Amino acid sequence: MYLYNAIDQSIVDARVRQFADQTGRYVQGYLSEDEFKPLRLQNGVYIERHSPLLRVAIPYGLLSSQQLRMLATIGRRYDRGFGHFTTRQNIQFNWVKLEQIPEILADLARVHMHAIQTSGSCIRNVTTDHFAGVAPDERVDPRPLAELMRQWSTLNPEFAFLPRKFKVAFNGAAEDRAASEVHDLAFDVYRDEAGEVRLTVKVGGGQGRTPRIAQVIKSGLHWRDMLTYTEAILRTYNRWGRRDNIYKARIKILVDALGAKTFGEEVEAEFIHLQGGPATLPAAELDRMTAFFAPPPYQSHAASDHDEASQRIADPRFNAWVKRNVAKHKHPHYGAVTISLKPQGQAPGDATSDQMDAIAQLADLYSFGQIRVSHHQNLILADVARADLWALWQALGELGLAEANVGLATDIICCPGGDYCALANAKSIPVAAAVQDRLAAKERDIGTLAIKISGCINACGHHHVGHIGILGVDKNDEEWYQILLGGRTDTKTSLGQIIGKAIPREQVAPTLERLTDFYLNKRQNGETFIDAVERLGKSAFHDAAFNHDLDHEQQVI
Amino acid sequence: MLLKIVKGQEAHILPLPKGAFRSAPPPNPLPDMAIVNAGQGDVRSFIRPNVKQPEAPSVSIWEHGPLICLDQWLEFSPFERDQRLTLGPIGLNLMPTDDPMRLKGALAGVAMIAVEFAKFSDGRGYSIATLLRTRLGFSGEVRAVGDVLIDQIFAMARCGFDGFALRGDQDGVWAKTALKCFPAVYQWGADGRAFVLADGVLPHRVAA
Ligand code: SF4
């Protein structure tokens, strides 16, 4: 992984000092509330419902065990002994004190971490495939480019006050595990016939109030021009993006207004002046950066396949876990293990400090000391020898982290919602718990199913791209929920559509059960839930979910 | 006051006439940290979706007289421009919505361009300055005016600003420190400062 040099360290240390100074001036009344707000947001500090919150950047979701231990320590020392992994591969601490945040940042800086630009109207933390570097369907490992983007965007002077937030994602594989097409800027990375790394550039994706799938404005962009081209996009957006209405300020609205073609032409006109200029990446830079992400020293374990097979026969729980939680790896003797942070009875994405410490230790033992965070809010040990799977599974079991539910109904993506978030219309954590309760027994039968819950239209829980999405809405000061169906981001991106009217909380889990029961009755030839939705149509599912015998009370909406 | 960067020298402070900088807002109350740390509850009702856009510049003069707005300057004939020049150095005023590229070929005789920050969080001025410097090659003063606060001037300087008409309540000494708050920068900027992602691998970039 990328290691800071003296310059990187000096920049992050300077940011810690700068923020400590800004916080101090705010506390002393030199900075007004309005003036401090963008400054704290650009450093990941929100004032939430019950407490300030600190969101820490985990660039493209990659952590060393040392970093994870520091996160555990921060959770213990400054929070209530846990942290929450987010859908943007970051972690947030929900219960911190504002005046302690400079201290936390100093602790983070010691392990090459920061909270820079994890919020605010600026270029946010860069995300990518959580299986980058190990996925068999990968064309190009996007992490070197993601790190270059991280550096370039860090404290970028021109684009610190964009009309609105700006999220960049990279995908380098056949399956888009980064949900890149719902980002403001998405790069598809591939190699041309000559072996040169090139990029397809898409803009204007996003969720929230106006969900959009990103559209291609450029293909065949040479990686050397990645930053100059990004600069051209951002300058176009910074100058012409709307600022009169925060709900219409994202780049997707500008792309909508101009049309992707015209927007692309505007960018191109800007790019002409920048191409080949001083911001062009030097030829050797990609090699230098790629070296940081070189594969670890894999060993061949020829006999392991047999052991694994007999262990799987011997213990069906192990078998189920391998089936669901261990993904194929480029190296035949390795697997990428997902540690589900969705056991029942725990808020999705939460991990206690003790769990983080334990996972850090397992990473040291079994996965070259590295951990990844997926946007599904799970943790991943990406390089586990298959011969070690049994031992790892047992160790995880002792920690209560061997839930074999990856990709199943209880592996729910869920935003913090009304329990924490000041913007929420409705709670989302209890809804996730109710759905988990309801579907746990059937989930193996149901198979792959992505349920995603957001507590409001901001869509932090990605409800637009869930096979089933759940959106909290406010109805006369009561918490109600809208159900969406048919979203996905895997091999293609599509946005879910609202089905039926909003329903009260206690109806959410039964409605989902009717949807999955309908699927179980109608499925053919092993098709997945989402395939069945596409084959049978959303209205068939709608009817199954909503036009059933309700008692009168439930029908009053 | 005006914070002025002159290449190769320490930044210095100059006086400005009233009207050439925005005056100080009323003093801030001290935040109640108990309330801040207790959170803000449900904030949905405080959110104002419509951000007021500026209509008039917040400063209208500089030390050499009135500022000329973009449209007015472009309407002047070459003769009128020359006439203006005999009255003293020329200062223009650009609003956030103004397209600086319209000044192409019309910069002769312009000594200073004031870029309006109606609100410090409106980032268009950064791109305007970058374009003035890198695309139009403007070498006079590019001055940030309006809501100019010390927490933004480092980034402004990187985009090519070399004059800062600090808002009335800003501290000049702090401002000078703020200009030096980062020892290194990653990305190319209009200030021409050496940057990390530069051509050639610098030896000191090797991981420590
Ligand atoms: S989706 Fe809404 S409720 Fe959920 S975390 Fe985001 S802003 Fe808060």
Side-chain angles (χ1 to χ4, degrees):
Chain A
M1 70 190 290
Y2 184 74
L3 299 172
Y4 281 11
N5 57 41
I7 297 179
D8 298 312
Q9 191 70 51
S10 74
I11 292 172
V12 170
D13 289 346
R15 180 69 181 113
V16 173
R17 284 194 298 275
Q18 186 193 37
F19 189 70
D21 171 59
Q22 290 168 341
T23 309
R25 281 187 281 127
Y26 166 69
V27 171
Q28 290 157 28
Y30 291 111
L31 271 178
S32 74
E33 201 73 49
D34 277 358
E35 288 159 13
F36 183 55
K37 189 175 174 192
L39 305 181
R40 65 168 163 78
L41 286 177
Q42 290 192 352
N43 219 34
V45 181
Y46 286 83
I47 312 287
E48 285 294 22
R49 236 165 237 247
H50 312 295
S51 158
L53 169 160
L54 176 66
R55 184 183 294 153
V56 176
I58 303 176
Y60 34 91
L62 189 57
L63 282 171
S64 69
S65 54
Q66 185 201 20
Q67 291 173 328
L68 186 56
R69 284 194 184 92
M70 180 55 88
L71 295 176
T73 304
I74 288 169
R76 225 175 257 124
R77 198 178 283 163
Y78 304 99
D79 198 319
R80 299 185 175 176
F82 72 101
H84 173 77
F85 290 96
T86 77
T87 53
R88 302 213 65 254
Q89 302 181 303
N90 290 322
I91 185 169
Q92 51 198 39
F93 294 102
N94 288 316
W95 302 96
V96 292
K97 289 204 166 59
L98 186 70
E99 55 274 31
Q100 287 188 329
I101 287 174
E103 263 175 79
I104 305 178
L105 295 174
D107 286 349
L108 287 169
R110 268 177 223 125
V111 294
H112 298 184
M113 292 187 85
H114 59 72
I116 299 170
Q117 289 162 225
T118 51
S119 179
S121 296
C122 51
I123 310 164
R124 301 288 192 87
N125 184 36
V126 177
T127 58
T128 193
D129 185 356
H130 46 264
F131 291 144
V134 306
D137 68 340
E138 184 170 84
R139 301 179 295 253
V140 180
D141 183 347
R143 292 172 301 172
L145 292 173
E147 174 59 24
L148 287 168
M149 183 60 76
R150 181 195 74 82
Q151 297 192 7
W152 178 81
S153 60
T154 297
L155 306 169
N156 186 302
E158 190 180 342
F159 307 123
F161 293 100
L162 295 168
R164 212 56 181 92
K165 58 188 167 185
F166 195 84
K167 301 175 182 177
V168 185
F170 285 85
N171 168 43
E175 182 183 343
D176 180 4
R177 282 171 290 264
S180 71
E181 289 185 328
V182 286
H183 286 74
D184 298 282
L185 173 59
F187 290 106
D188 249 325
V189 194
Y190 64 97
R191 242 173 243 289
D192 66 12
E193 279 139 28
E196 288 284 290
V197 172
R198 293 195 181 267
L199 307 156
T200 304
V201 186
K202 303 175 204 174
V203 293
Q207 302 191 56
R209 206 166 283 262
T210 320
R212 287 288 180 276
I213 295 171
Q215 301 184 63
V216 175
I217 57 163
K218 177 97 177 168
S219 30
L221 182 74
H222 195 279
W223 69 268
R224 276 197 300 263
D225 299 321
M226 176 177 79
L227 299 182
T228 43
Y229 198 79
T230 305
E231 187 176 329
I233 292 172
L234 278 162
R235 187 165 302 140
T236 307
Y237 171 50
N238 193 38
R239 294 186 63 206
W240 308 119
R242 283 180 64 171
R243 291 175 189 263
D244 60 329
N245 182 336
I246 58 163
Y247 300 131
K248 298 200 184 301
R250 294 283 290 272
I251 194 172
K252 59 193 171 189
I253 304 291
L254 180 63
V255 174
D256 263 5
L258 295 176
K261 192 166 163 287
T262 311
F263 181 82
E265 287 162 7
E266 288 279 339
V267 172
E268 204 65 30
E270 189 67 36
F271 177 56
I272 287 170
H273 299 282
L274 301 168
Q275 191 174 22
T280 305
L281 282 162
E285 191 69 347
L286 187 59
D287 294 340
R288 194 185 77 81
M289 211 46 97
T290 303
F292 284 109
F293 299 94
Y298 295 125
Q299 311 281 316
S300 286
H301 300 273
S304 66
D305 284 352
H306 176 69
D307 296 344
E308 189 190 321
S310 50
Q311 284 154 352
R312 286 176 70 168
I313 292 165
D315 194 325
R317 289 169 310 158
F318 177 62
N319 184 42
W321 179 78
V322 172
K323 233 168 105 184
R324 286 315 314 187
N325 296 33
V326 183
K328 280 217 169 58
H329 193 287
K330 274 181 184 167
H331 192 295
H333 298 146
Y334 282 77
V337 172
T338 300
I339 301 171
S340 168
L341 295 182
K342 322 287 176 65
Q344 274 168 271
Q346 183 181 310
D350 277 7
T352 66
S353 291
D354 292 349
Q355 285 174 331
M356 288 189 247
D357 274 338
I359 292 168
Q361 194 183 355
L362 293 174
D364 284 338
L365 278 173
Y366 298 117
S367 195
F368 303 95
Q370 289 187 11
I371 303 97
R372 297 145 180 236
V373 185
S374 75
H375 82 265
H376 304 100
Q377 304 175 286
N378 290 321
L379 296 181
I380 287 158
L381 303 180
D383 297 292
V384 180
R386 298 202 78 101
D388 291 332
L389 287 177
W390 175 261
L392 174 61
W393 176 68
Q394 289 192 311
L396 287 171
E398 279 168 30
L399 298 166
L401 290 169
E403 196 80 30
N405 64 349
V406 172
L408 296 179
T410 58
D411 184 8
I412 295 173
I413 291 185
C414 176
C415 80
D419 290 294
Y420 297 100
C421 176
L423 300 172
N425 282 324
K427 289 189 180 179
S428 46
I429 294 169
V431 178
V435 173
Q436 284 181 325
D437 262 358
R438 194 84 176 201
L439 298 182
K442 299 182 190 176
E443 67 175 344
R444 247 158 258 295
D445 192 12
I446 298 168
T448 298
L449 174 60
I451 300 175
K452 309 193 181 195
I453 309 177
S454 304
C456 81
I457 192 75
N458 287 337
C460 304
H462 293 187
H463 63 272
H464 294 291
V465 291
H467 300 160
I468 300 176
I470 302 170
L471 163 67
V473 291
D474 180 280
K475 245 181 144 178
N476 307 326
D477 276 341
E478 278 175 43
E479 301 184 3
W480 288 60
Y481 298 86
Q482 201 90 66
I483 308 295
L484 290 87
L485 192 65
R488 67 192 297 178
T489 55
D490 44 8
T491 45
K492 61 175 177 188
T493 306
S494 54
L495 300 169
Q497 279 172 1
I498 288 177
I499 55 164
K501 287 190 175 150
I503 50 179
R505 186 183 304 160
E506 58 280 7
Q507 271 304 311
V508 174
T511 304
L512 261 60
E513 188 175 32
R514 286 193 293 276
L515 287 169
T516 53
D517 282 351
F518 183 71
Y519 155 72
L520 290 174
N521 287 330
K522 298 284 177 186
R523 71 175 158 196
Q524 288 176 359
N525 317 321
E527 68 186 346
T528 58
F529 178 86
I530 184 70
D531 290 338
V533 170
E534 290 178 3
R535 178 174 61 84
L536 296 165
K538 294 182 184 93
S539 61
F541 279 83
H542 167 268
D543 291 347
F546 290 93
N547 298 344
H548 62 102
D549 290 330
L550 288 172
D551 64 51
H552 180 70
E553 205 174 57
Q554 288 170 341
Q555 219 158 15
V556 182
I557 288 179
Chain B
M1 69 192 108
L2 177 68
L3 180 69
K4 186 83 185 87
I5 303 176
V6 182
K7 266 216 158 50
Q9 289 177 25
E10 198 51 19
H12 54 274
I13 299 275
L14 298 166
L16 275 182
K18 234 182 151 55
F21 61 92
R22 193 183 282 186
S23 53
N28 306 309
L30 280 178
D32 182 336
M33 292 313 288
I35 291 178
V36 170
N37 282 329
Q40 294 180 338
D42 180 343
V43 298
R44 283 173 294 158
S45 59
F46 313 150
I47 295 179
R48 290 153 296 183
N50 291 308
V51 185
K52 210 159 163 277
Q53 293 297 294
E55 275 153 24
S58 60
V59 303
S60 52
I61 61 163
W62 67 314
E63 53 277 28
H64 299 289
L67 292 166
I68 306 171
C69 72
L70 178 64
D71 284 334
Q72 200 184 348
W73 175 248
L74 292 175
E75 276 164 25
F76 284 168
S77 66
F79 175 74
E80 285 171 308
R81 284 183 197 168
D82 284 347
Q83 254 194 336
R84 283 299 301 242
L85 201 52
T86 59
L87 301 174
I90 288 173
L92 303 185
N93 197 340
L94 290 183
M95 293 294 282
T97 44
D98 283 337
D99 181 0
M101 297 310 291
R102 292 173 63 204
L103 283 168
K104 199 171 176 179
L107 283 167
V110 178
M112 191 278 283
I113 299 176
V115 177
E116 168 78 27
F117 283 86
K119 186 119 189 37
F120 76 92
S121 54
D122 182 340
R124 286 175 283 195
Y126 297 90
S127 288
I128 291 175
T130 302
L131 289 170
L132 288 173
R133 291 293 189 212
T134 64
R135 201 64 55 70
L136 299 178
F138 180 64
S139 58
E141 180 184 344
V142 179
R143 181 183 297 184
V145 300
D147 206 14
V148 182
L149 314 179
I150 62 170
D151 291 293
Q152 282 78 48
I153 59 175
F154 180 85
M156 287 175 176
R158 292 229 57 218
C159 293
F161 285 99
D162 56 356
F164 309 89
L166 297 170
R167 199 176 69 185
D169 59 335
Q170 302 293 293
D171 184 302
V173 179
W174 285 356
K176 283 190 192 178
T177 322
L179 280 179
K180 290 184 273 190
C181 62
F182 288 98
V185 297
Y186 282 114
Q187 57 294 93
W188 171 82
D191 59 348
R193 179 174 176 167
F195 58 102
V196 170
L197 296 169
D199 208 357
V201 178
L202 305 171
H204 50 284
R205 288 208 61 197
V206 176

